[in-house]
Amino acid sequence: MTTDTTAEAHSSPAPASRRGGVRSAERALAPDFARGIMLLFIVLSNTAFHLWRSAYGPSGWQPVTGGRLDHAVQFAMITALDLRVYPLFAFLFGYGMMQLFLRLTAGGAGERDAVRILRRRSLLLIAIGLAHSTLLMAGDIVGYYGLLSLALAPLFLRRSERALKWWIAIAAAQLVLVSAQPVISALLQGELGSLGDAHAEPGAAAYGAGEESWFAAAGTRLMTGLFVTFTAPPFALIGGGYVLFLLGFWAARRRILEEPGRHLPLLRRTAVLGIAVGWLGALPAALAHVGALRVPDDAQSESGALTVLREITGYGAGLGYVAVVALFVHWWSGRAARGNAKAAAAVTAVAAVGKRSLSSYLAHSLLFAPLLAAWGLGMGARLTSATMALFAVGVWLVTVAGAYALERRGWRGPVEVVLRRLMYR
């Protein structure tokens, strides 16, 4: 998530190394709007783990209980969101990092000074992520991307576009070869259906939402947070999971989201191909989950062939979603629809969430964890997939309203204010 914020509180120019937040006149709509939409996707994905009395499927991600409407929601989540939101997050995270780096160096800061500021930012994000996972939500990804950015920023921010393209190709090759290797080996041995472990503990258990004691749940969340923050990033570096980070770096250098009109053919191809690949890659798992396709449970498990397919193709969907947002913003910016006050307010409100993405992301957990978890009000025991989706949308709308209120007053998000002060001291 970006730490960019709204207009500066003073009019005199500050030194580049202290300036930090981008001025409102310099902001582009597409990155902020994309972050706002991304946060809706994230809260929809995260709240599904709080249906703690439901029976989860072999993958451990979505329940198998409920009526037809619940199964329709589960089908849609598996197809469009699960393992598709985090690639979108990674791209926007990398894009925001490069934006900040370029802004600092354009303002007069040396490249090493800019990297040092970003290193401090990464360390702060790791601390925020661990605190968030321990206190409220085990699936925090801020610390995960904080550690990845700590490794990637000094290595790649100063590289040329040509060098970035080479490393993107290398990372993509790593992703396909490392991720697909178990599937290829099982296929050659005729054991594809048995790849995986359907009896593994459901992924939802790592969230500790069913623990009646907050302290017991905090212990579970802490262990999950430590794993996600410190163990998962090295695997991402080995397995090419950093490819969308680098694509974000490259796209920010080309100003693809700031100037979508100059990249329409690329954006259209990415939107169509990316979403098609992403959704088709998840379709077998979605059909198997609702019982429309007979597949061994092991193949549907978190380490099974269908999950591997979902994960690899999810990178395409994440990029496709970014491209759709950029195309929408280009259309919006050039149409008389801007004259519709209600529509304009809605677009501004979603972008306001994106400007305050870190505050909004943490606010999600403050709103839903105490209400849904067994150690809180325990509402997760009474909700289903369909009603949980409505609850998630409601949580997101609350943060939209809050961000819009801050936007109208010209105030930054509270977490962005603190982070910015610590970054620039």
Side-chain angles (χ1 to χ4, degrees):
M1 256 163 264
T2 182
T3 58
D4 291 349
T5 49
T6 51
E8 295 290 328
H10 52 276
S11 57
S12 58
S17 62
R18 296 179 180 272
R19 206 195 124 185
V22 61
R23 294 183 173 91
S24 58
E26 299 171 323
R27 297 199 73 99
L29 177 60
D32 291 330
F33 192 81
R35 292 180 188 108
I37 296 297
M38 173 195 71
L39 286 166
L40 170 61
F41 293 166
I42 285 178
V43 74
L44 281 166
S45 295
N46 285 340
T47 45
F49 289 105
H50 284 76
L51 294 166
W52 46 274
R53 275 203 177 152
S54 299
Y56 282 81
S59 72
W61 283 57
Q62 292 291 337
V64 292
T65 51
R68 290 184 179 180
L69 184 57
D70 298 306
H71 292 320
V73 170
Q74 295 156 13
F75 183 93
M77 294 276 284
I78 293 171
T79 303
L81 293 184
D82 291 350
L83 297 173
R84 275 120 188 82
V85 180
Y86 295 149
L88 169 62
F89 186 107
F91 178 89
L92 293 174
F93 195 105
Y95 199 100
M97 280 187 64
M98 181 61 80
Q99 279 184 309
L100 180 54
F101 175 78
L102 294 175
R103 185 165 62 252
L104 288 168
T105 53
E111 290 186 345
R112 290 188 177 182
D113 289 337
V115 170
R116 185 174 66 250
I117 291 170
L118 287 166
R119 183 186 307 122
R120 191 178 305 140
R121 173 180 180 261
S122 298
L123 292 171
L124 290 168
L125 291 177
I126 292 171
I128 290 171
L130 284 175
H132 180 216
S133 62
T134 303
L135 296 174
L136 291 170
M137 213 281 290
D140 175 88
I141 50 174
V142 169
Y144 169 82
Y145 286 115
L147 189 63
L148 270 183
S149 65
L150 191 65
L152 297 176
L155 292 175
F156 295 107
L157 282 176
R158 289 172 283 183
R159 292 187 180 272
S160 65
E161 285 187 29
R162 182 177 181 181
L164 281 176
K165 288 180 180 179
W166 275 106
W167 278 103
I168 289 168
I170 292 170
Q174 283 180 265
L175 180 68
V176 173
L177 293 175
V178 174
S179 299
Q181 188 274 328
V183 176
I184 294 172
S185 298
L187 181 64
L188 293 175
Q189 296 172 16
E191 300 175 354
L192 186 61
S194 61
L195 178 67
D197 182 7
H199 302 291
E201 186 178 51
Y207 283 66
E211 299 278 359
E212 294 187 358
S213 164
W214 180 88
F215 292 100
T220 300
R221 290 194 301 266
L222 175 60
M223 296 303 296
T224 303
L226 289 172
F227 175 83
V228 172
T229 302
F230 295 110
T231 305
F235 284 104
L237 293 174
I238 294 171
Y242 61 98
V243 62
L244 286 183
F245 237 101
L246 300 188
L247 277 167
F249 287 176
W250 173 81
R253 283 191 178 273
R254 301 295 302 270
R255 296 180 59 84
I256 288 176
L257 296 185
E258 290 94 333
E259 301 170 355
R262 296 179 54 193
H263 307 279
L264 291 179
L266 173 64
L267 291 171
R268 288 168 181 152
R269 288 194 300 268
T270 302
V272 173
L273 292 176
I275 293 177
V277 168
W279 288 9
L280 289 174
L283 187 59
L287 291 171
H289 182 86
V290 298
L293 182 67
R294 297 190 64 180
V295 176
D297 286 350
D298 286 338
Q300 299 179 58
S301 69
E302 196 161 0
S303 54
L306 293 189
T307 302
V308 173
L309 178 63
R310 289 166 60 202
E311 184 174 8
I312 294 176
T313 57
Y315 286 77
L319 287 175
Y321 294 158
V322 174
V324 167
V325 169
L327 290 169
F328 167 79
V329 169
H330 175 71
W331 170 84
W332 174 262
S333 301
R335 292 295 187 276
R338 291 176 298 166
N340 185 319
K342 292 183 179 180
V347 171
T348 301
V350 174
V353 174
K355 290 180 183 179
R356 299 158 184 84
S357 54
L358 187 53
S359 293
S360 299
Y361 173 70
L362 298 177
H364 288 170
S365 299
L366 284 171
L367 290 169
F368 71 67
L371 295 177
L372 299 176
W375 52 262
L377 296 182
M379 288 173 55
R382 298 186 292 275
L383 296 176
T384 66
S385 295
T387 53
M388 181 65 84
L390 291 175
F391 176 85
V393 173
V395 168
W396 179 74
L397 288 174
V398 169
T399 61
V400 169
Y404 186 58
L406 293 176
E407 180 74 9
R408 288 174 63 89
R409 290 168 175 78
W411 295 350
R412 302 181 178 95
V415 182
E416 283 78 9
V417 169
V418 174
L419 185 60
R420 182 175 183 272
R421 288 178 179 174
L422 292 174
M423 280 174 60
Y424 300 99
R425 294 182 180 175

